[in-house]
Amino acid sequence: MPVKAEELKFIEAFRTGISQVNAGDTILHEQKPNGKLFTLYSGWGFRYKTLSDGRRQILNFLLPGDFIGLQQKFADGAMHGIEAVTDVSLCVFPRDGLWELFRNHPSLGYDVTWLAAREEGMVDDHLLTAGRRNATERVAMLLMHLFRRLERVGMAEGGQIEFPINQQHIADALGLSLVHTNKTLRRLRQLGLHEIENGKLRLLNTRALERIADFYDTPPPQVPLL
Amino acid sequence: MPVKAEELKFIEAFRTGISQVNAGDTILHEQKPNGKLFTLYSGWGFRYKTLSDGRRQILNFLLPGDFIGLQQKFADGAMHGIEAVTDVSLCVFPRDGLWELFRNHPSLGYDVTWLAAREEGMVDDHLLTAGRRNATERVAMLLMHLFRRLERVGMAEGGQIEFPINQQHIADALGLSLVHTNKTLRRLRQLGLHEIENGKLRLLNTRALERIADFYDTPPPQVPLL
DNA sequence: CGACATGTTGAGATGGATCAACACTTGTGG
DNA sequence: CCACAAGTGTTGATCCATCTCAACATGTCG
């Protein structure tokens, strides 16, 4: 989405710097929020929460273009962690600059709100999935969801996408056990619906997956970028 | 939270009017978004999504002070409905006024974002609940969650709150079946943890409920109001 | 009075969890 | 170069939390 030159300049000035994080590292610790804000430039990450006995729920996956950290800043004590799946590069914004941004560039503030609302929409979807879909539907949903998102940011090539997450990630995102995730994934593969190989996901029958997941996507007109 | 007089005036001018909705009526239809924005003045409501075969997931409950409709405005096709639990009065904002608000009163825009982020934080919690807690933990969580929220808006009197939702609502919010919700609720009651009677909820052992749910609340400093 | 919403309870079925192996790959230190 | 540990995927056996089905009770309302 186009941004005015002036706004772009402000964004440039606004950001503190670019930061690199290695695969598997924690970007934001669950217990100690730091109020920083990020935009994900490249790589995959995820937001998660854990119960005190270690059960983990992945809230959503973070892909290039995602804006991160609003909930941390505002949430009522309810914290989440962020972890890098692959090596990741982040654009870091200062802890207290958000108000500046709203004041000086309301249109950017508007965009931030847009992004926040879009992310909440995604979490809404995942809640429906975890609450009301069965294992097969959940897996189909996740595959379609991620595939479509990658498509939108232009990261689908030749009908396949990079797929750096493992079955434990999938299980934690869907609220399933690792073993059952494996069996469900395998069943879908044997039905010829998808293939995961060498860290690539290829969907072989999106029609069927959409039907199973009861997932029908409407791409948004255009997405703001920060 | 205090608001400047000038801002208050803008809010007054901004709103289209106040609207009343009867218990059980749909405030916002799942399939046809209208882009309107609301603030809930009084009563209870909830946001929900349904699968095409009718399975319903309640995304969160709406209580006085909640700001509604952002996701509808921005979501990528992913829609949700809103229904009134009790009779409800709403402050209605015009469909396209949000940008005006951001431009003329950045601080109000900032507040909107705050509210959006806080709501996402709540959905995050519910996703953790639906994905990783068992039935007992879920029910304990819901009771604590709602009780604390009502407390914060000053609607807890004498250790009890209005509790207008029925077991079907609870089941749909937690991703459980109606029957199992009933049995779980009953077990907690027989343990002396709570009482629901005549539309009132009384928590008899919040300590135990918190422990079961693994839920420890940190109230936010102050909440903006629109 | 009957229709309807809501809550309650039991019996049986089942989807998914848990437990326990094992295979394969990769990286590491000796 | 090999031995070994660690991470990941796979599979079978068994268990159990939750779902489904089916009744029945109660209160409200026309």
Side-chain angles (χ1 to χ4, degrees), chain A residues 114 117-118 121 218-221, chain B residues 70-80:
Chain A
W114 171 300
R118 190 181 62 122
T218 323
Chain B
L70 272 186
Q71 311 87 349
Q72 282 286 0
K73 198 166 171 52
F74 291 133
D76 17 346
M79 294 304 157
H80 64 259

Side-chain angles (χ1 to χ4, degrees), chain B residues 59-124:
Chain B
L59 302 169
N60 63 353
F61 289 102
L62 303 169
L63 301 180
D66 283 349
F67 185 65
I68 310 170
L70 272 186
Q71 311 87 349
Q72 282 286 0
K73 198 166 171 52
F74 291 133
D76 17 346
M79 294 304 157
H80 64 259
I82 300 182
E83 191 175 310
V85 175
T86 63
D87 290 349
V88 146
S89 65
L90 298 161
C91 177
V92 186
F93 297 113
R95 180 191 181 71
D96 297 314
L98 190 62
W99 165 239
E100 291 297 309
L101 180 144
F102 270 76
R103 189 163 44 124
N104 297 325
H105 293 275
S107 66
L108 292 178
Y110 193 77
D111 288 347
V112 166
T113 305
W114 170 300
L115 290 170
R118 190 181 62 122
E119 183 171 307
E120 176 170 350
M122 267 180 349
V123 180
D124 286 350

Side-chain angles (χ1 to χ4, degrees), chain A residues 96-126:
Chain A
D96 296 315
L98 191 62
W99 165 238
E100 291 297 309
L101 181 143
F102 270 76
R103 189 160 46 118
N104 298 324
H105 294 274
S107 66
L108 292 178
Y110 192 76
D111 288 347
V112 166
T113 306
W114 171 300
L115 289 169
R118 190 181 62 122
E119 182 169 308
E120 175 170 349
M122 269 180 349
V123 180
D124 286 351
D125 277 338
H126 297 153

Side-chain angles (χ1 to χ4, degrees), chain A residues 76, chain B residues 60-64 66 118-119 122 126 143-155 161 215 217:
Chain A
D76 17 344
Chain B
N60 63 353
F61 289 102
L62 303 169
L63 301 180
D66 283 349
R118 190 181 62 122
E119 183 171 307
M122 267 180 349
H126 297 152
L143 296 179
M144 286 306 306
H145 168 78
L146 287 174
F147 192 85
R148 293 293 183 223
R149 280 182 71 192
L150 271 285
E151 253 183 358
R152 285 188 199 167
V153 292
M155 295 176 71
I161 60 173
F215 170 76
D217 205 22

Side-chain angles (χ1 to χ4, degrees), chain A residues 127-193:
Chain A
L127 178 53
L128 174 61
T129 296
R132 288 305 186 197
R133 280 187 244 252
N134 66 29
T136 308
E137 294 165 346
R138 292 186 205 193
V139 171
M141 182 71 192
L142 185 80
L143 296 179
M144 286 306 306
H145 168 78
L146 287 174
F147 193 84
R148 294 293 184 223
R149 280 182 70 192
L150 271 285
E151 254 183 357
R152 285 188 199 167
V153 292
M155 295 175 72
E157 289 169 14
Q160 70 177 20
I161 60 171
E162 289 290 331
F163 202 69
I165 61 179
N166 61 32
Q167 296 185 353
Q168 185 66 64
H169 290 122
I170 299 178
D172 286 345
L174 297 178
L176 296 171
S177 73
L178 175 59
V179 173
H180 199 60
T181 300
N182 176 295
K183 289 173 180 170
T184 306
L185 215 34
R186 168 146 293 277
R187 207 173 314 125
L188 290 183
R189 186 210 297 177
Q190 276 160 354
L191 288 172
L193 302 188

